[in-house]
Amino acid sequence: EMSPEERHFQEKVDAEVRIEPKNWMPEGYRKTLIRQISQHAHSEIVGMLPEGNWLTRAPTLKRKLQLMAKIQDEAGHGLYLYSAMETLGADRDEEIEKLHRGEVKFSSIFTYPTLTWADMGAIGWLVDGAAIVNQVPLQRCSYGPYARAMIRVCKEESFHQRQGYEILLTMMREGTDEQKAMVQDAINRFWWPSLMMFGPSDANSPNSAQSMAWKIKRHGNDELRQRFLDQTVPQLEFLGCTAPDPDLKWNEETGHYEFGEINWQEFFDVLKGHSPCGVERIQQRKSAIDEGQWVRDAAVAYARNQERKAKS
Ligand code: 3HC
């Protein structure tokens, strides 16, 4: 049974009235937003690492600059999202500590290795492509700061997706047979993990029902996964590549692509921490924070000196 405040809150959400930080909100709404936004921010920051692996190995200066810009964008997305999270009363350091203790997650996609340069193309095209499909509806999320953060994020992701696809198209059009095989290998390794980015099937999605009622989530996991697949298969064919899914086929009646069974065992193993690079990536984040402590100390000392000067 809803309390008068809860009923009033739900009426606002149903009427598409944005919820702002100072408005009353159910504790569960606050908690699930901190859960989702913090993990979204963690994903952006950890997501810089797989690409950072190829920054020093980019084949041309142009590719290096593009990759540098993309990685810097991801950092910015993370900072936007941590700021949106803080409007809910969450503490940034505390949430990052939870990540380092393995108590909260980051997107499964970033637990996979990046073995060749073609992976930079596959990540831009498939991973940022999936992220766009997932993030565009979040621009209409009922919580104002999260929705507004998504507007700029989505614009920048579109650039990431295009530069990723252009890397692969260049390799397929101008590359050697070995480079073409490298593209297909990258697609083979990132195809299924990209589909897993959308989360478990709706039947196994404990947060979906409540998130849909509160208009945090506008579409179910399976619907967005299908939307991503339907837009991606024609791009895959234009590349002249194939998907590692023998059951992938167009269904004229439904107007959608049918696809094979997702390896949910792999997905839940990754979520439990058993993944190719998950532990290593968190270790990298921890040492980055430790090694950067002197920068934060220096900034604080400098700020204190400035204050002292201003007072004297
Ligand atoms: N990786 C890791 N954990 C995942 C996951 C994935 N791919 N998919 C689902 N999960 C987790 C959920 O967080 C939840 O665990 P929790 O309760 O401990 O948080 C559990 O699995 C069950 O999933 P639900 O479907 O019930 O959870 P949600 O309703 O939160 O839906 C979601 C999952 C669709 C990922 C949703 O949280 C979401 O839209 N998050 C915001 C967007 C996001 O995080 N995108 C992926 C980041 S990649 C990225 O953006 C970087 C890009 O710029 C390259």
Side-chain angles (χ1 to χ4, degrees), residues 35 39 44 74 105 108 134 157 205 207 217 221:
R35 171 192 67 82
Q39 292 182 138
E44 298 282 2
E74 313 291 8
K105 306 173 181 69
S108 50
N134 164 279
E157 297 281 31
S205 170
N207 297 296
K217 187 178 263 190
N221 297 354

Side-chain angles (χ1 to χ4, degrees), residues 156-175:
E156 292 176 342
E157 297 281 31
S158 300
F159 149 71
H160 301 168
Q161 183 191 31
R162 289 216 196 346
Q163 65 87 32
Y165 192 72
E166 202 261 336
I167 288 175
L168 300 182
L169 200 55
T170 303
M171 292 176 78
M172 290 305 289
R173 285 190 167 158
E174 300 161 25

Side-chain angles (χ1 to χ4, degrees), residues 201-219:
S201 62
D202 295 344
N204 295 324
S205 170
N207 297 296
S208 279
Q210 184 59 72
S211 283
M212 300 277 273
W214 279 334
K215 295 190 181 176
I216 294 169
K217 187 178 263 190
R218 292 286 187 160
H219 305 276

Side-chain angles (χ1 to χ4, degrees), residues 108 112 196 200 204 261-275:
S108 50
Y112 290 86
M196 294 178 197
N204 295 324
E261 182 59 24
I262 288 177
N263 181 342
W264 291 116
Q265 185 57 51
E266 177 181 327
F267 175 76
F268 286 109
D269 280 353
V270 165
L271 262 55
K272 282 201 289 277
H274 312 304
S275 66

